[in-house]
Amino acid sequence: DAGITQSPRHKVTETGTPVTLRCHQTENHRYMYWYRQDPGHGLRLIHYSYGVKDTDKGEVSDGYSVSRSKTEDFLLTLESATSSQTSVYFCAISESQGTGNEKLFFGSGTQLSVL
Amino acid sequence: ILNVEQSPQSLHVQEGDSTNFTCSFPSSNFYALHWYRWETAKSPEALFVMTLNGDEKKKGRISATLNTKEGYSYLYIKGSQPEDSATYLCAFMGDSNYQLIWGAGTKLIIKP
């Protein structure tokens, strides 16, 4: 398995509280991604990073922020969690982008429930 | 809005039978098409990354074809086994921003 660790694996929180999910990689890959996966939907990109302190929004970025202060860590923050953010969150990494061979490696996922 | 469609949504197949399913994607601005296998309680794992029209890739009993001009890819599984039970995801990458747009997946269940 690619060295990707997501924490926590499960979290239950209340509406309005801040939540931070962590993704840690040991592969030294440049690109890191946060996706959410909901029933009936494909994986949807929240934010991604193309280097330390270099991040960009995905298709469902509202309500989320990210930070990447080190190559190995990519944090996803829900500033004020809402029930619509109940989902499974996946972190992924890739070595490159736009080269035609950039398959993604995924973490184990975080099940987040916002009550 | 870019759309990636997978069909069928779910599929029950008898052990030993062969099967296939479809991924439809935009036929313009094509860059790459990815296939992943996602087993329950595990992470998605890459099967194939396909970039050339007419490309055909194979991994054991699983193979995939690609038609970029008409915007579809087929995934074939020959002689299905119980361990093939999983959700199979495809994802389209366009050449405008190189981000993956994912289909909702085909859930394959192999009946012993």
Side-chain angles (χ1 to χ4, degrees), chain B residues 56-97:
Chain B
E56 193 168 329
K57 297 217 170 183
K58 190 174 180 183
K59 187 176 183 177
R61 293 178 293 99
I62 303 176
S63 60
T65 61
L66 179 67
N67 184 323
T68 62
K69 296 189 185 308
E70 295 182 44
Y72 64 84
S73 175
Y74 293 136
L75 192 79
Y76 300 89
I77 301 178
K78 186 178 177 181
S80 303
Q81 299 298 308
E83 59 265 28
D84 296 329
S85 294
T87 296
Y88 291 82
L89 303 171
C90 72
F92 165 83
M93 179 181 283
D95 62 6
S96 56
N97 65 6

CSV table of all heavy atoms in Angstrom, one decimal, chain B residues 56-97:
chain,number,residue,atom,x,y,z
B,56,GLU,N,-5.9,-0.6,-25.6
B,56,GLU,CA,-6.5,-1.7,-24.9
B,56,GLU,C,-5.5,-2.1,-23.8
B,56,GLU,O,-4.3,-2.3,-24.1
B,56,GLU,CB,-6.7,-2.9,-25.9
B,56,GLU,CG,-7.6,-4.0,-25.3
B,56,GLU,CD,-8.1,-5.0,-26.4
B,56,GLU,OE1,-8.3,-4.5,-27.6
B,56,GLU,OE2,-8.2,-6.1,-26.1
B,57,LYS,N,-6.0,-2.2,-22.6
B,57,LYS,CA,-5.0,-2.6,-21.5
B,57,LYS,C,-5.6,-3.9,-20.8
B,57,LYS,O,-6.8,-4.1,-20.8
B,57,LYS,CB,-4.9,-1.5,-20.5
B,57,LYS,CG,-4.3,-0.2,-21.1
B,57,LYS,CD,-3.3,0.5,-20.2
B,57,LYS,CE,-2.6,1.6,-20.9
B,57,LYS,NZ,-1.6,2.2,-20.1
B,58,LYS,N,-4.7,-4.6,-20.2
B,58,LYS,CA,-5.0,-5.9,-19.6
B,58,LYS,C,-4.3,-6.1,-18.3
B,58,LYS,O,-3.1,-5.8,-18.3
B,58,LYS,CB,-4.8,-7.1,-20.6
B,58,LYS,CG,-5.4,-8.4,-20.1
B,58,LYS,CD,-5.2,-9.4,-21.2
B,58,LYS,CE,-5.8,-10.8,-20.7
B,58,LYS,NZ,-5.6,-11.8,-21.7
B,59,LYS,N,-5.0,-6.6,-17.3
B,59,LYS,CA,-4.3,-7.0,-16.1
B,59,LYS,C,-5.0,-8.2,-15.6
B,59,LYS,O,-6.1,-8.2,-15.0
B,59,LYS,CB,-4.6,-5.8,-15.1
B,59,LYS,CG,-3.8,-5.9,-13.8
B,59,LYS,CD,-4.1,-4.7,-12.9
B,59,LYS,CE,-3.3,-4.7,-11.6
B,59,LYS,NZ,-3.5,-3.5,-10.8
B,60,GLY,N,-4.3,-9.4,-15.8
B,60,GLY,CA,-4.9,-10.6,-15.4
B,60,GLY,C,-6.2,-10.9,-16.3
B,60,GLY,O,-6.2,-10.9,-17.5
B,61,ARG,N,-7.3,-11.1,-15.5
B,61,ARG,CA,-8.6,-11.4,-16.2
B,61,ARG,C,-9.4,-10.1,-16.6
B,61,ARG,O,-10.5,-10.2,-17.1
B,61,ARG,CB,-9.5,-12.3,-15.3
B,61,ARG,CG,-8.9,-13.7,-15.1
B,61,ARG,CD,-9.7,-14.5,-14.2
B,61,ARG,NE,-9.7,-14.0,-12.8
B,61,ARG,CZ,-10.6,-13.2,-12.3
B,61,ARG,NH1,-11.7,-12.9,-13.0
B,61,ARG,NH2,-10.5,-12.8,-11.0
B,62,ILE,N,-8.8,-9.0,-16.2
B,62,ILE,CA,-9.5,-7.7,-16.4
B,62,ILE,C,-8.9,-7.0,-17.6
B,62,ILE,O,-7.6,-6.9,-17.7
B,62,ILE,CB,-9.5,-6.8,-15.2
B,62,ILE,CG1,-10.1,-7.6,-14.0
B,62,ILE,CG2,-10.2,-5.5,-15.4
B,62,ILE,CD1,-10.0,-6.8,-12.7
B,63,SER,N,-9.7,-6.4,-18.5
B,63,SER,CA,-9.1,-5.7,-19.6
B,63,SER,C,-10.1,-4.5,-19.9
B,63,SER,O,-11.2,-4.4,-19.4
B,63,SER,CB,-9.0,-6.5,-20.9
B,63,SER,OG,-10.3,-7.0,-21.3
B,64,ALA,N,-9.5,-3.5,-20.6
B,64,ALA,CA,-10.3,-2.3,-20.8
B,64,ALA,C,-10.0,-1.8,-22.2
B,64,ALA,O,-8.8,-1.9,-22.7
B,64,ALA,CB,-10.0,-1.2,-19.8
B,65,THR,N,-11.0,-1.2,-22.9
B,65,THR,CA,-10.8,-0.6,-24.2
B,65,THR,C,-11.2,0.9,-24.1
B,65,THR,O,-11.9,1.3,-23.2
B,65,THR,CB,-11.6,-1.3,-25.3
B,65,THR,OG1,-13.0,-1.2,-24.9
B,65,THR,CG2,-11.2,-2.8,-25.4
B,66,LEU,N,-10.7,1.6,-25.1
B,66,LEU,CA,-11.0,3.1,-25.1
B,66,LEU,C,-11.3,3.6,-26.5
B,66,LEU,O,-10.6,3.3,-27.4
B,66,LEU,CB,-9.7,3.8,-24.6
B,66,LEU,CG,-9.8,5.3,-24.5
B,66,LEU,CD1,-10.8,5.7,-23.4
B,66,LEU,CD2,-8.4,5.9,-24.2
B,67,ASN,N,-12.4,4.3,-26.6
B,67,ASN,CA,-12.8,5.0,-27.8
B,67,ASN,C,-13.0,6.5,-27.5
B,67,ASN,O,-14.0,6.9,-26.9
B,67,ASN,CB,-14.1,4.4,-28.4
B,67,ASN,CG,-14.5,5.0,-29.7
B,67,ASN,OD1,-14.3,6.2,-29.9
B,67,ASN,ND2,-15.0,4.2,-30.6
B,68,THR,N,-12.0,7.3,-27.7
B,68,THR,CA,-12.1,8.7,-27.4
B,68,THR,C,-12.9,9.5,-28.3
B,68,THR,O,-13.5,10.6,-28.0
B,68,THR,CB,-10.7,9.3,-27.3
B,68,THR,OG1,-10.1,9.2,-28.6
B,68,THR,CG2,-9.8,8.6,-26.3
B,69,LYS,N,-13.1,9.0,-29.6
B,69,LYS,CA,-13.8,9.8,-30.6
B,69,LYS,C,-15.3,9.8,-30.3
B,69,LYS,O,-16.0,10.8,-30.5
B,69,LYS,CB,-13.6,9.3,-32.0
B,69,LYS,CG,-12.1,9.4,-32.4
B,69,LYS,CD,-11.9,9.1,-33.8
B,69,LYS,CE,-10.4,9.2,-34.2
B,69,LYS,NZ,-9.8,10.4,-33.9
B,70,GLU,N,-15.8,8.6,-29.7
B,70,GLU,CA,-17.2,8.5,-29.4
B,70,GLU,C,-17.4,8.6,-27.9
B,70,GLU,O,-18.6,8.6,-27.4
B,70,GLU,CB,-17.8,7.2,-29.9
B,70,GLU,CG,-17.8,7.2,-31.4
B,70,GLU,CD,-18.4,5.9,-32.0
B,70,GLU,OE1,-19.4,5.5,-31.5
B,70,GLU,OE2,-17.7,5.3,-32.9
B,71,GLY,N,-16.4,8.7,-27.1
B,71,GLY,CA,-16.5,8.9,-25.7
B,71,GLY,C,-17.0,7.8,-24.9
B,71,GLY,O,-17.9,7.9,-24.1
B,72,TYR,N,-16.3,6.6,-25.0
B,72,TYR,CA,-16.7,5.5,-24.1
B,72,TYR,C,-15.5,4.6,-23.9
B,72,TYR,O,-14.6,4.5,-24.7
B,72,TYR,CB,-17.9,4.7,-24.6
B,72,TYR,CG,-17.7,4.0,-25.9
B,72,TYR,CD1,-17.1,2.7,-26.0
B,72,TYR,CD2,-18.1,4.6,-27.2
B,72,TYR,CE1,-16.9,2.1,-27.2
B,72,TYR,CE2,-17.9,3.9,-28.4
B,72,TYR,CZ,-17.4,2.7,-28.4
B,72,TYR,OH,-17.2,2.0,-29.6
B,73,SER,N,-15.6,3.9,-22.8
B,73,SER,CA,-14.6,2.9,-22.4
B,73,SER,C,-15.4,1.7,-21.9
B,73,SER,O,-16.3,1.9,-21.1
B,73,SER,CB,-13.6,3.4,-21.4
B,73,SER,OG,-12.7,2.4,-21.0
B,74,TYR,N,-14.9,0.5,-22.2
B,74,TYR,CA,-15.5,-0.7,-21.7
B,74,TYR,C,-14.5,-1.4,-20.7
B,74,TYR,O,-13.3,-1.5,-21.0
B,74,TYR,CB,-15.9,-1.7,-22.8
B,74,TYR,CG,-17.0,-1.3,-23.7
B,74,TYR,CD1,-16.8,-1.5,-25.1
B,74,TYR,CD2,-18.1,-0.8,-23.2
B,74,TYR,CE1,-17.8,-1.1,-25.9
B,74,TYR,CE2,-19.1,-0.4,-24.1
B,74,TYR,CZ,-19.0,-0.6,-25.4
B,74,TYR,OH,-20.0,-0.2,-26.3
B,75,LEU,N,-15.0,-1.9,-19.6
B,75,LEU,CA,-14.2,-2.8,-18.8
B,75,LEU,C,-14.7,-4.2,-18.8
B,75,LEU,O,-15.9,-4.4,-18.7
B,75,LEU,CB,-14.2,-2.3,-17.3
B,75,LEU,CG,-13.2,-2.9,-16.4
B,75,LEU,CD1,-11.8,-2.3,-16.6
B,75,LEU,CD2,-13.6,-2.8,-14.9
B,76,TYR,N,-13.8,-5.1,-19.1
B,76,TYR,CA,-14.2,-6.5,-19.2
B,76,TYR,C,-13.6,-7.4,-18.1
B,76,TYR,O,-12.4,-7.2,-17.8
B,76,TYR,CB,-13.7,-7.1,-20.6
B,76,TYR,CG,-14.3,-6.5,-21.8
B,76,TYR,CD1,-13.6,-5.4,-22.4
B,76,TYR,CD2,-15.4,-6.9,-22.4
B,76,TYR,CE1,-14.1,-4.8,-23.5
B,76,TYR,CE2,-15.9,-6.3,-23.6
B,76,TYR,CZ,-15.2,-5.2,-24.1
B,76,TYR,OH,-15.7,-4.6,-25.3
B,77,ILE,N,-14.4,-8.3,-17.6
B,77,ILE,CA,-13.9,-9.2,-16.6
B,77,ILE,C,-14.2,-10.6,-17.1
B,77,ILE,O,-15.4,-11.0,-17.4
B,77,ILE,CB,-14.4,-9.1,-15.2
B,77,ILE,CG1,-14.1,-7.6,-14.7
B,77,ILE,CG2,-13.8,-10.1,-14.3
B,77,ILE,CD1,-14.7,-7.3,-13.3
B,78,LYS,N,-13.2,-11.4,-17.3
B,78,LYS,CA,-13.3,-12.8,-17.9
B,78,LYS,C,-13.3,-13.8,-16.8
B,78,LYS,O,-12.5,-13.7,-15.9
B,78,LYS,CB,-12.1,-13.1,-18.8
B,78,LYS,CG,-12.2,-14.3,-19.6
B,78,LYS,CD,-11.1,-14.5,-20.6
B,78,LYS,CE,-11.1,-15.8,-21.3
B,78,LYS,NZ,-9.9,-16.0,-22.2
B,79,GLY,N,-14.3,-14.7,-16.8
B,79,GLY,CA,-14.4,-15.7,-15.8
B,79,GLY,C,-14.4,-15.2,-14.3
B,79,GLY,O,-13.5,-15.4,-13.5
B,80,SER,N,-15.5,-14.4,-14.1
B,80,SER,CA,-15.6,-13.7,-12.8
B,80,SER,C,-15.4,-14.6,-11.6
B,80,SER,O,-15.9,-15.8,-11.5
B,80,SER,CB,-17.0,-13.1,-12.7
B,80,SER,OG,-17.2,-12.2,-13.8
B,81,GLN,N,-14.7,-14.1,-10.6
B,81,GLN,CA,-14.4,-14.8,-9.3
B,81,GLN,C,-15.0,-14.0,-8.2
B,81,GLN,O,-15.1,-12.7,-8.3
B,81,GLN,CB,-12.9,-15.0,-9.1
B,81,GLN,CG,-12.3,-15.8,-10.2
B,81,GLN,CD,-12.8,-17.2,-10.2
B,81,GLN,OE1,-12.9,-17.9,-9.2
B,81,GLN,NE2,-13.3,-17.7,-11.4
B,82,PRO,N,-15.3,-14.6,-7.0
B,82,PRO,CA,-15.8,-13.8,-5.9
B,82,PRO,C,-15.0,-12.6,-5.5
B,82,PRO,O,-15.5,-11.6,-5.1
B,82,PRO,CB,-15.8,-14.9,-4.8
B,82,PRO,CG,-16.0,-16.2,-5.5
B,82,PRO,CD,-15.2,-16.0,-6.7
B,83,GLU,N,-13.7,-12.7,-5.7
B,83,GLU,CA,-12.8,-11.6,-5.3
B,83,GLU,C,-12.9,-10.4,-6.3
B,83,GLU,O,-12.4,-9.3,-6.0
B,83,GLU,CB,-11.3,-12.0,-5.2
B,83,GLU,CG,-10.7,-12.6,-6.5
B,83,GLU,CD,-10.8,-14.1,-6.6
B,83,GLU,OE1,-11.7,-14.7,-5.9
B,83,GLU,OE2,-9.9,-14.7,-7.2
B,84,ASP,N,-13.6,-10.6,-7.4
B,84,ASP,CA,-13.9,-9.5,-8.3
B,84,ASP,C,-15.0,-8.6,-7.8
B,84,ASP,O,-15.3,-7.5,-8.4
B,84,ASP,CB,-14.2,-10.0,-9.7
B,84,ASP,CG,-13.1,-10.7,-10.3
B,84,ASP,OD1,-11.9,-10.4,-10.1
B,84,ASP,OD2,-13.4,-11.7,-11.1
B,85,SER,N,-15.8,-9.0,-6.8
B,85,SER,CA,-16.8,-8.2,-6.3
B,85,SER,C,-16.3,-6.9,-5.7
B,85,SER,O,-15.4,-6.9,-4.9
B,85,SER,CB,-17.6,-9.0,-5.1
B,85,SER,OG,-18.2,-10.1,-5.6
B,86,ALA,N,-16.7,-5.8,-6.3
B,86,ALA,CA,-16.2,-4.5,-5.9
B,86,ALA,C,-17.1,-3.4,-6.7
B,86,ALA,O,-17.9,-3.8,-7.6
B,86,ALA,CB,-14.8,-4.3,-6.3
B,87,THR,N,-16.8,-2.2,-6.4
B,87,THR,CA,-17.3,-1.1,-7.2
B,87,THR,C,-16.2,-0.7,-8.2
B,87,THR,O,-15.1,-0.4,-7.7
B,87,THR,CB,-17.8,0.1,-6.4
B,87,THR,OG1,-18.9,-0.4,-5.6
B,87,THR,CG2,-18.3,1.2,-7.3
B,88,TYR,N,-16.5,-0.6,-9.4
B,88,TYR,CA,-15.5,-0.2,-10.4
B,88,TYR,C,-15.8,1.3,-10.9
B,88,TYR,O,-16.9,1.6,-11.3
B,88,TYR,CB,-15.6,-1.1,-11.6
B,88,TYR,CG,-15.0,-2.5,-11.2
B,88,TYR,CD1,-15.9,-3.4,-10.6
B,88,TYR,CD2,-13.7,-2.8,-11.4
B,88,TYR,CE1,-15.4,-4.6,-10.2
B,88,TYR,CE2,-13.2,-4.1,-11.0
B,88,TYR,CZ,-14.1,-4.9,-10.4
B,88,TYR,OH,-13.6,-6.2,-10.0
B,89,LEU,N,-14.9,2.1,-10.7
B,89,LEU,CA,-15.0,3.6,-10.9
B,89,LEU,C,-14.2,3.9,-12.2
B,89,LEU,O,-13.1,3.5,-12.4
B,89,LEU,CB,-14.4,4.4,-9.8
B,89,LEU,CG,-15.0,4.1,-8.4
B,89,LEU,CD1,-14.2,4.9,-7.3
B,89,LEU,CD2,-16.5,4.6,-8.3
B,90,CYS,N,-14.8,4.8,-13.0
B,90,CYS,CA,-14.0,5.4,-14.1
B,90,CYS,C,-13.9,6.9,-13.8
B,90,CYS,O,-14.8,7.5,-13.2
B,90,CYS,CB,-14.5,5.1,-15.4
B,90,CYS,SG,-16.1,5.9,-15.9
B,91,ALA,N,-12.9,7.5,-14.4
B,91,ALA,CA,-12.7,9.0,-14.2
B,91,ALA,C,-12.1,9.5,-15.5
B,91,ALA,O,-11.2,9.0,-16.0
B,91,ALA,CB,-11.9,9.3,-13.0
B,92,PHE,N,-12.7,10.6,-15.9
B,92,PHE,CA,-12.2,11.3,-17.2
B,92,PHE,C,-11.4,12.5,-16.8
B,92,PHE,O,-11.6,13.2,-15.8
B,92,PHE,CB,-13.5,11.8,-17.9
B,92,PHE,CG,-13.2,12.9,-19.0
B,92,PHE,CD1,-12.8,12.5,-20.2
B,92,PHE,CD2,-13.4,14.2,-18.7
B,92,PHE,CE1,-12.6,13.4,-21.2
B,92,PHE,CE2,-13.1,15.2,-19.7
B,92,PHE,CZ,-12.7,14.8,-20.9
B,93,MET,N,-10.3,12.6,-17.5
B,93,MET,CA,-9.4,13.8,-17.3
B,93,MET,C,-9.3,14.6,-18.6
B,93,MET,O,-9.0,14.0,-19.7
B,93,MET,CB,-8.0,13.4,-16.9
B,93,MET,CG,-7.0,14.5,-16.7
B,93,MET,SD,-5.3,14.0,-16.3
B,93,MET,CE,-5.6,13.6,-14.5
B,94,GLY,N,-9.7,15.8,-18.6
B,94,GLY,CA,-9.7,16.7,-19.8
B,94,GLY,C,-8.4,17.4,-19.8
B,94,GLY,O,-7.6,17.5,-18.8
B,95,ASP,N,-8.1,18.0,-21.0
B,95,ASP,CA,-6.8,18.7,-21.1
B,95,ASP,C,-6.9,20.2,-20.8
B,95,ASP,O,-5.9,20.9,-21.1
B,95,ASP,CB,-6.2,18.5,-22.6
B,95,ASP,CG,-7.1,19.1,-23.6
B,95,ASP,OD1,-8.1,19.7,-23.3
B,95,ASP,OD2,-6.8,18.9,-24.8
B,96,SER,N,-8.0,20.6,-20.2
B,96,SER,CA,-8.1,22.0,-19.8
B,96,SER,C,-7.5,22.2,-18.4
B,96,SER,O,-6.8,23.2,-18.2
B,96,SER,CB,-9.5,22.4,-19.8
B,96,SER,OG,-10.3,21.6,-19.0
B,97,ASN,N,-7.8,21.3,-17.4
B,97,ASN,CA,-7.3,21.5,-16.1
B,97,ASN,C,-6.7,20.3,-15.5
B,97,ASN,O,-6.2,20.3,-14.3
B,97,ASN,CB,-8.4,22.1,-15.1
B,97,ASN,CG,-9.5,21.1,-14.9
B,97,ASN,OD1,-9.5,20.0,-15.4
B,97,ASN,ND2,-10.6,21.6,-14.2
